[in-house]
Amino acid sequence: NLTTTHPSATATVKLGPQAGVVAGRVIDADTGAVLRATVFFLDAQGHGHHADTAPSDGGYRALLPAGKDLTLMVEVSSAQDNHALVPVAPLRLEPGQYMYMDISIPKQ
């Protein structure tokens, strides 16, 4: 507790491993047009993180745990409401690693 007679305190904060960052765009393989999509980063048990792409530029950005094996998958939203979950690549980031990755999706 801080009081007028004890106006300061010292605290120790222990940080865990620094996360990794992956960012990029989801684009059409044939035209290069940006796509509306959700990018998933899943572990072996199917748990993980996801990021929706920005409507303006198809960009995504995700903060991910370092040193963990993940599978990168993309679900593309189309005008026909066909949602296809496309496996893209295995992924493992080191602490503090920044990876830029455009994901090119062919037409289904």
Side-chain angles (χ1 to χ4, degrees):
N1 292 332
L2 299 179
T3 65
T4 55
T5 58
H6 186 65
S8 65
T10 302
T12 302
V13 177
K14 184 177 178 182
L15 300 176
Q18 188 176 11
V21 175
V22 63
R25 297 177 309 141
V26 178
I27 57 174
D28 183 291
D30 298 323
T31 65
V34 298
L35 297 174
R36 184 173 168 210
T38 302
V39 183
F40 294 91
F41 305 91
L42 305 173
D43 65 15
Q45 290 77 37
H47 303 111
H49 309 277
H50 71 277
D52 293 324
T53 58
S56 60
D57 66 357
Y60 68 92
R61 179 181 168 91
L63 188 64
L64 301 172
K68 188 170 189 178
D69 292 322
L70 301 170
T71 299
L72 171 60
M73 301 185 84
V74 176
E75 182 180 49
V76 177
S77 303
S78 71
Q80 298 83 13
D81 287 329
N82 296 329
H83 298 276
L85 195 58
V86 179
V88 177
L91 186 65
R92 183 182 182 99
L93 296 176
E94 297 302 319
Q97 181 179 359
Y98 180 91
M99 179 185 292
Y100 185 88
M101 181 186 334
D102 282 348
I103 301 170
S104 181
I105 302 294
K107 293 214 187 241
Q108 301 293 336

